[in-house]
């Protein structure tokens, strides 16, 4: 599969809520990073996608501008969903960059405006304090705790 095909397969699987197919796109040496979960390894990133899919009953995924040249690629993608903690609608726009190895994704970095996301997810609270390091660090700690809990439950 071409690198463009691999990226498209990953996001089509995500839009179909197929965490297993997403996992197959990742190299075992994966390094994932985003503004909420920080740096994750292969097992953590696969569990994160599965957790987000299971939590997102109204999750809609869209993507375009898929580019791949040599061992690097990128895509613009987004997610529309109701944030489970507040029930507020979120429409997050993300730019992802990739590095490929052995025909799989070995590095995946998602970038998005965390303050914009916080305003949508938390409303006035997000608008007021969503930009602060305290709020963003608390958000990251909560996300990590949720992921760790999810991973423990999945192993049991």
């Amino acid at each position: 599969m071409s690198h463009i095909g691999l990226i498209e397969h990953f996001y089509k699987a995500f839009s179909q809520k197929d965490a297993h197919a997403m996992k197959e796109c990742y190299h075992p040496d994966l390094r994932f990073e985003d503004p909420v979960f920080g740096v994750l390894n292969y097992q953590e990133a696969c569990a994160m996608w599965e957790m987000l899919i299971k939590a997102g009953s109204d999750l809609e995924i869209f993507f375009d501008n898929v580019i791949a040249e040599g061992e690097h690629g990128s895509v613009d993608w987004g997610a529309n969903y109701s944030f489970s903690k507040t029930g507020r609608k979120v429409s997050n726009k993300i730019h992802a960059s990739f590095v490929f190895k052995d025909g799989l994704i070995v590095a995946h970095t998602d970038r998005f405006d965390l303050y914009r996301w916080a305003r949508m997810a938390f409303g006035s609270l997000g608008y007021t304090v969503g930009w602060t390091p305290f709020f963003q660090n608390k958000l990251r700690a909560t996300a990590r705790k949720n992921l760790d809990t999810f991973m423990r439950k999945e192993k049991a």
Side-chain angles (χ1 to χ4, degrees), residues 78-96:
N80 296 325
Y81 58 96
S82 297
F83 181 54
S84 60
K85 184 171 182 169
T86 62
R88 294 179 60 86
K89 290 286 189 182
V90 172
S91 181
N92 199 16
K93 295 177 183 170
I94 300 111
H95 179 78

Side-chain angles (χ1 to χ4, degrees), residues 14-143:
F14 194 10
S15 71
Q16 296 167 355
K17 300 181 180 181
D18 186 348
H20 180 74
M22 294 171 73
K23 180 179 181 176
E24 291 177 339
C25 297
Y26 278 157
H27 192 281
D29 295 334
L30 175 76
R31 181 187 187 279
F32 173 87
E33 183 175 1
D34 87 348
V36 174
F37 289 93
V39 176
L40 302 176
N41 65 29
Y42 171 83
Q43 290 180 335
E44 294 165 334
C46 292
M48 175 201 65
W49 294 122
E50 186 176 353
M51 179 180 74
L52 294 175
I53 286 169
K54 286 182 177 181
S57 61
D58 65 346
L59 177 66
E60 296 176 345
I61 302 299
F62 54 92
F63 66 96
D64 62 7
N65 299 322
V66 180
I67 299 170
E69 293 182 21
E71 297 304 308
H72 297 271
S74 65
V75 66
D76 294 319
W77 72 277
N80 296 325
Y81 58 96
S82 297
F83 181 54
S84 60
K85 184 171 182 169
T86 62
R88 294 179 60 86
K89 290 286 189 182
V90 172
S91 181
N92 199 16
K93 295 177 183 170
I94 300 111
H95 179 78
S97 58
F98 304 95
V99 177
F100 307 102
K101 178 181 174 184
D102 302 328
L104 298 169
I105 299 166
V106 72
H108 178 173
T109 303
D110 279 350
R111 299 192 196 298
F112 60 89
D113 184 338
L114 189 54
Y115 177 47
R116 181 181 176 278
W117 178 89
R119 293 191 314 261
M120 286 184 283
F122 290 95
S124 60
L125 175 65
Y127 182 79
T128 306
V129 298
W131 59 272
T132 65
F134 175 81
F135 179 89
Q136 292 184 2
N137 289 335
K138 175 78 171 149
L139 178 66
R140 289 181 185 109
T142 300

